[in-house]
Amino acid sequence: MEENNNKNNVKIEWDLSQIYSNIDELKKDIEKELSLTEKMTTFKGKLNNKKDIFEFFKTDEEAELISSKTTAYMALRLQKNMKDLEILKLDSEISPKFKKLSKQLIFVEDELLENDKELLDDILKDPEFERFNSNLRYQFALKGHILTQEQKLLMNHIGSAMNFSNIYDLIENEIKFEKAEDENRKSS
């Protein structure tokens, strides 16, 4: 009977060194990802021609590939040990940076959709854009169903609030409440 229990209690661990052999390699990729994401913010006001749109999506694709690797590694490390202070500290350092950059990229959808239908159709027919077509078709399908910049910022805040560890900081530092009066006209 004990033999069966031992067989059922096999401990399986991932060999994460095949992804990153040390934390410095991870940090190097995160810096590369931050740099690429920051580069994407420089396209503001420029997503009105094929050349810049292509460069934007090429940069986005490169950042996404790195992000997939870094995110998977960090998640797997935390699956092994939810108290991995090295990863938790790194995550707490980089999360605000990515959140800030995410806010700065809100312009993308609006700028793409401000283009005329001929340019959008031309982009979808161009073989150079083929690998981006599913993303572009999704973006172009939204034309006419777009949130305002203010609504997008609000949604960005709501997304942040869904991470429970950020709720207090969000309420204290980012959401501004107007003074309200109760039925007795007492201000709070």
Side-chain angles (χ1 to χ4, degrees):
M1 188 81 166
E2 271 185 32
E3 233 174 77
N4 286 341
N5 283 342
N6 287 339
K7 286 180 185 177
N8 292 334
N9 291 331
V10 175
K11 187 173 183 180
I12 298 173
E13 271 195 34
W14 296 296
D15 179 11
L16 299 180
S17 68
Q18 294 184 22
I19 303 173
Y20 292 108
S21 61
N22 60 52
I23 196 77
D24 291 330
E25 286 181 11
L26 171 66
K27 287 178 180 179
K28 185 177 173 186
D29 265 1
I30 289 170
E31 286 304 316
K32 210 182 302 180
E33 182 186 353
L34 280 166
S35 175
L36 288 166
T37 307
E38 197 162 319
K39 179 181 177 185
M40 290 165 58
T41 67
T42 67
F43 284 89
K44 187 172 186 170
K46 299 178 184 176
L47 297 179
N48 54 12
N49 63 77
K50 280 175 70 171
K51 179 183 175 276
D52 285 331
I53 293 171
F54 181 78
E55 285 302 314
F56 175 84
F57 276 98
K58 197 169 90 174
T59 305
D60 181 51
E61 178 183 57
E62 191 177 346
E64 285 293 325
L65 287 171
I66 295 169
S67 174
S68 296
K69 185 178 175 184
T70 59
T71 303
Y73 179 83
M74 291 175 71
L76 290 170
R77 283 264 307 250
L78 288 172
Q79 285 294 320
K80 281 176 74 172
N81 176 9
M82 294 297 285
K83 295 178 183 175
D84 186 333
L85 294 179
E86 191 172 38
I87 294 298
L88 291 171
K89 181 178 185 265
L90 180 61
D91 184 53
S92 71
E93 291 169 356
I94 64 172
S95 289
K97 294 175 185 179
F98 281 111
K99 181 182 174 195
K100 180 181 175 190
L101 289 170
S102 173
K103 284 181 185 177
Q104 292 175 9
L105 288 170
I106 288 176
F107 71 89
V108 174
E109 187 178 273
D110 291 339
E111 280 194 31
L112 284 173
L113 296 177
E114 284 175 4
N115 292 309
D116 59 27
K117 185 173 174 17
E118 291 78 30
L119 176 62
L120 302 179
D121 289 340
D122 186 34
I123 286 171
L124 289 174
K125 292 176 187 169
D126 190 329
E128 191 174 40
F129 282 86
E130 189 172 343
R131 68 183 192 258
F132 309 125
N133 272 355
S134 64
N135 190 352
L136 289 166
R137 284 185 198 287
Y138 173 77
Q139 294 285 333
F140 298 164
L142 296 174
K143 201 164 184 155
H145 306 283
I146 306 299
L147 298 174
T148 66
Q149 290 292 328
E150 187 177 275
Q151 291 168 326
K152 287 178 187 175
L153 283 171
L154 177 61
M155 293 302 292
N156 191 294
H157 282 300
I158 290 171
S160 298
M162 294 292 120
N163 180 350
F164 295 111
S165 64
N166 292 338
I167 290 176
Y168 179 78
D169 288 337
L170 182 65
I171 291 171
E172 283 297 309
N173 301 318
E174 296 187 31
I175 298 178
K176 305 295 181 220
F177 295 98
E178 294 180 19
K179 292 204 177 236
E181 293 180 357
D182 64 15
E183 63 271 1
N184 299 324
R185 298 236 182 246
K186 291 184 180 174
S187 186
S188 60

